[in-house]
């Protein structure tokens, strides 16, 4: 069968015939367990930082910094991606997923050098998110400020 001569509909039918159905229940349960495990780790860190004497605000910040650092480190040494391959969507817990999404593109281009490769690609995903987040917060703050003026 020459796949280059198929119509879109015929190709889609061919792909559907070859694709194995995804075990949805198993995948959902596994994602729940992995994501819950990451959240459990975060809660353990929060309790640990609290036991060390940090106030709740600083303890929450320390947990975020720890999770971001560990995820970035594991991504940098190639462990997180192998873990995520088996763990599935459970690793997309926002803080770990975002840290991985920032570091992974940079690691792909490290052979191009520190500046032209790693540093240039570091913000491939983070840049638009940060720009939108900062812009939206400024607009929202202006709206709240103006609403308070009237």
């Amino acid at each position: 069968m020459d796949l280059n001569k198929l119509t879109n509909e015929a190709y889609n039918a061919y792909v559907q015939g070859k694709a194995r159905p995804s075990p949805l229940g198993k995948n959902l349960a596994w994602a729940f367990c992995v994501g819950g495990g990451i959240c459990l780790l975060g809660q353990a860190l929060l309790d640990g930082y609290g036991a060390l004497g940090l106030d709740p605000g600083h303890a929450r910040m320390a947990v975020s910094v720890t999770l971001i650092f560990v995820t970035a480190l594991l991504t940098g040494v190639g462990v997180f991606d192998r873990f995520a391959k088996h763990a599935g969507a459970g690793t997309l817990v926002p803080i770990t997923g975002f840290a991985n999404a920032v570091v992974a593109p940079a690691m792909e281009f490290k052979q191009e050098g520190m500046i032209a490769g790693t540093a240039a690609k570091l913000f491939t995903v983070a840049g638009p998110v940060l720009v939108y987040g900062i812009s939206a917060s400024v607009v929202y703050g202006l709206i709240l400020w103006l609403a308070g003026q009237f």
Side-chain angles (χ1 to χ4, degrees):
M1 173 182 288
D2 187 8
L3 296 178
N4 293 325
K5 295 182 181 180
L6 289 177
T7 64
N8 285 340
E9 295 80 21
Y11 179 74
N12 287 336
Y14 172 77
V15 170
Q16 291 300 323
K18 295 290 184 181
R20 292 184 302 157
S22 178
L24 184 62
K26 177 186 165 210
N27 288 347
L28 288 173
W30 187 237
F32 177 80
C33 290
V34 171
I38 293 171
C39 291
L40 183 66
L41 173 64
Q43 185 62 49
L45 288 169
L46 182 64
D47 293 344
Y49 286 132
L52 291 174
L54 289 177
D55 65 85
H58 287 108
R60 285 190 296 270
M61 181 178 57
V63 169
S64 296
V65 169
T66 302
L67 289 174
I68 289 169
F69 175 77
V70 169
T71 302
L73 179 67
L74 293 176
T75 299
V77 296
V79 172
F80 192 85
D81 289 335
R82 282 184 278 153
F83 172 67
K85 180 179 177 184
H86 298 290
T91 57
L92 295 178
V93 173
I95 200 160
T96 56
F98 183 70
N100 177 258
V102 170
V103 175
M107 297 312 297
E108 290 179 29
F109 292 91
K110 67 183 178 184
Q111 71 273 9
E112 294 179 22
M114 184 62 101
I115 302 299
T118 304
K121 292 297 180 181
L122 190 59
F123 294 105
T124 300
V125 173
V129 172
L130 294 173
V131 168
Y132 176 77
I134 292 168
S135 301
S137 65
V138 168
V139 170
Y140 185 66
L142 286 172
I143 292 170
L144 287 177
W145 180 75
L146 288 173
Q149 298 297 315
F150 298 107

